[in-house]
Amino acid sequence: MFKKMMQEKREYRAYKKRVNKLPQEYRKAMKAIEKYMWNFAKGSGMFEILKNILEMFENSATDGLCIRDVVGDDIAEFADSLLAEFPEETWMDKMKKKLRDSIE
């Protein structure tokens, strides 16, 4: 358990270093998406999604694309579409279920 926790901590630090190496517009978007998504879910599944977004941003920046070419005109819609693929139940899913169940 301790080894796993230390490994996860190392992976997170490496992830943060990669985020900080992004060009400013990508770094700003990545941090905003990260903050937004952590509000809805936690765990290794969410971290995998964030690492995938980071890789996409790194590749797009290398290709010379601007951030709007990647996320489109609505960054919240971009983030929500990725959250829809999240393998675990999110906080928002739980709240929607609770609301639906309130009028059975």
Side-chain angles (χ1 to χ4, degrees):
M1 172 107 167
F2 182 72
K3 278 186 174 185
K4 182 179 179 193
M5 193 169 67
M6 292 303 293
Q7 178 62 28
E8 288 172 350
K9 195 170 190 175
R10 278 192 288 276
E11 286 180 32
Y12 186 72
R13 282 188 192 137
Y15 161 84
K16 292 305 269 184
K17 283 182 183 180
R18 288 173 56 198
V19 168
N20 288 327
K21 289 181 181 178
L22 289 170
Q24 182 181 5
E25 67 176 351
Y26 279 93
R27 184 174 52 250
K28 184 177 177 183
M30 186 70 215
K31 288 181 178 183
I33 289 169
E34 180 181 314
K35 184 176 181 180
Y36 177 78
M37 293 180 107
W38 282 128
N39 283 314
F40 296 106
K42 298 194 178 340
S44 60
M46 180 57 67
F47 188 51
E48 289 303 315
I49 290 174
L50 290 171
K51 289 192 298 187
N52 290 337
I53 296 168
L54 175 58
E55 186 174 336
M56 179 191 332
F57 281 9
E58 289 170 331
N59 292 334
S60 298
T62 299
D63 291 344
L65 299 172
C66 75
I67 192 66
R68 292 277 183 200
D69 293 335
V70 180
V71 301
D73 293 328
D74 188 346
I75 193 169
E77 186 177 305
F78 173 81
D80 285 342
S81 70
L82 295 168
L83 271 174
E85 298 175 21
F86 186 63
E88 301 166 23
E89 185 177 44
T90 65
W91 173 83
M92 187 60 82
D93 294 333
K94 291 175 188 174
M95 298 312 296
K96 286 177 184 178
K97 183 180 181 331
K98 186 175 180 180
L99 177 59
R100 287 181 185 115
D101 290 348
S102 70
I103 58 167
E104 283 192 85

